[in-house]
Amino acid sequence: MSTKFDLTFCIADKYIRVLFPEDVDGREWLPTYHPFYVREATEPLMADIHVVPDEVSAEIEGERLGLFDNGNGNHVVCRLPEGGYKILITNVQGELSAAMRTTADFSRVDVSLYGSEAAQHFGLNNCVMVAYAFSGAYFGILLMHSSVIMNDGRGYLFLGTSGTGKSTHSDLWVRHIPGSEILNDDNPAVRWRDGVAYVYGTPWSGKRDFYRQIGLPIGAFVRLQQAKENAIRRCPAVEAYAVIRSSTSTMIWDKPSFTHICDTASAIAATVPVFHLRNLPVEAAARMSYEATQAALAE
């Protein structure tokens, strides 16, 4: 199929491409991806995503495995007889937005879009995010649910379930810890590369516009828990692994990608300090997490 807009993006120093039909200007469909656009890839693509109208049906195919929740809606996942996946993307209103068919390693994805224009934009963005998350697993990449601060050349990831104050804690660092800036506020990419853990901005930053083409070594992870007083402790190795793995997008029924994700999380947990912060949303909590992470880095 001829294409007019074949867009290549570099995220965490790996390349993906989205190919649109000839009558679709893909630049308008993926506005948050603009900082990550490159003219061409300098190495083989990690994922090649083809938008193919009406070619991927909205029907269940193969073995229905369950639901994948990426925070924006529940997506039906089916395993195809040839080993790939069929995923039906629905938005938070339960409206079908896209259907995607993938190879087993998510290196090739075909996408058909459904519903209103807004639903289709939502569906495409989520298809690209899913393709990136699970093709990236084979390259030491974790797509994490986190808010990330940059400070003094390192990235600090605040983890926790929805509503635990990750964005609030980032804002406290920005206000009270000199030199702090937000890198990403929802779904950064973490990459284990040559024995070092890095965090990168991505096109996926939730409700706040922090789409930054920046990568930094990770200073620490901090898991947040709301409490009536502030207290912080460093997590032992097994708990540190569990904190990182539980904040990562996974499909546990996809054994190859899940194994890679677990191996990457284990390597990172063994080298990067992980903390558990019980906290109030106040300046003292931000100073406590900052001082603890800096002390660990100075060891």
Side-chain angles (χ1 to χ4, degrees), residues 18 24 27 34 42 90 92 110 123 135 148 155 159 165 194 205 210 217 233 241 246 259 261 268 275 289 297:
V18 184
V24 176
R27 296 169 297 185
H34 290 177
T42 59
T90 57
V92 291
D110 291 333
S135 62
V148 188
L159 312 177
D194 300 326
S205 191
F210 296 103
R233 63 178 177 83
Y241 162 78
S246 64
T259 297
I261 287 169
I268 293 172
F275 293 88
S289 62
L297 291 173

Side-chain angles (χ1 to χ4, degrees), residues 10-32:
C10 181
I11 306 168
D13 293 332
K14 297 298 292 184
Y15 296 90
I16 62 172
R17 181 174 63 175
V18 184
L19 293 89
F20 292 87
E22 59 184 358
D23 59 342
V24 176
D25 185 345
R27 296 169 297 185
E28 298 178 356
W29 283 68
L30 297 171
T32 65

Side-chain angles (χ1 to χ4, degrees), residues 10-12 32-37 148-151 174 179-185 187-189 199-205 208-216:
C10 181
I11 306 168
T32 65
Y33 292 65
H34 290 177
F36 304 89
Y37 169 75
V148 188
I149 280 289
M150 302 183 288
N151 185 283
V174 170
S180 296
E181 297 181 64
I182 296 175
L183 172 61
N184 183 277
D185 200 42
N187 282 114
V199 62
Y200 295 82
T202 72
W204 313 293
S205 191
R208 302 208 289 178
D209 296 341
F210 296 103
Y211 308 109
R212 312 180 82 163
Q213 176 61 291
I214 298 173
L216 299 166

Side-chain angles (χ1 to χ4, degrees), residues 2-178:
S2 62
T3 57
K4 183 177 181 181
F5 293 105
D6 303 350
L7 302 180
T8 300
F9 304 102
C10 181
I11 306 168
D13 293 332
K14 297 298 292 184
Y15 296 90
I16 62 172
R17 181 174 63 175
V18 184
L19 293 89
F20 292 87
E22 59 184 358
D23 59 342
V24 176
D25 185 345
R27 296 169 297 185
E28 298 178 356
W29 283 68
L30 297 171
T32 65
Y33 292 65
H34 290 177
F36 304 89
Y37 169 75
V38 294
R39 289 188 177 275
E40 60 182 14
T42 59
E43 61 179 55
L45 296 170
M46 190 172 76
D48 209 11
I49 302 157
H50 297 242
V51 180
V52 287
D54 304 320
E55 290 190 26
V56 184
S57 76
E59 304 301 321
I60 298 291
E61 292 182 50
E63 176 191 3
R64 179 168 174 160
L65 298 175
L67 296 175
F68 171 71
D69 181 3
N70 72 346
N72 293 318
N74 286 319
H75 309 326
V76 177
V77 181
C78 305
R79 181 180 286 116
L80 299 172
E82 61 269 27
Y85 291 93
K86 172 82 171 283
I87 302 177
L88 304 179
I89 305 290
T90 57
N91 60 20
V92 291
Q93 289 78 34
E95 180 183 9
L96 179 67
S97 301
M100 58 191 294
R101 184 182 292 114
T102 82
T103 56
D105 62 359
F106 287 82
S107 61
R108 165 68 187 247
V109 177
D110 291 333
V111 176
S112 294
L113 303 174
Y114 293 91
S116 65
E117 184 172 308
Q120 291 185 38
H121 284 223
F122 172 90
L124 178 59
N125 179 64
N126 277 265
C127 286
V128 176
M129 184 165 62
V130 168
Y132 182 87
F134 296 109
S135 62
Y138 295 88
F139 297 88
I141 294 173
L142 308 178
L143 193 63
M144 301 193 71
H145 186 46
S146 170
S147 186
V148 188
I149 280 289
M150 302 183 288
N151 185 283
D152 196 25
R154 294 183 181 271
Y156 297 87
L157 289 86
F158 305 132
L159 312 177
T161 57
S162 296
T164 53
K166 297 183 292 295
S167 296
T168 298
H169 200 72
S170 285
D171 289 340
L172 289 169
W173 271 54
V174 170
R175 287 200 295 269
H176 302 296
I177 308 301

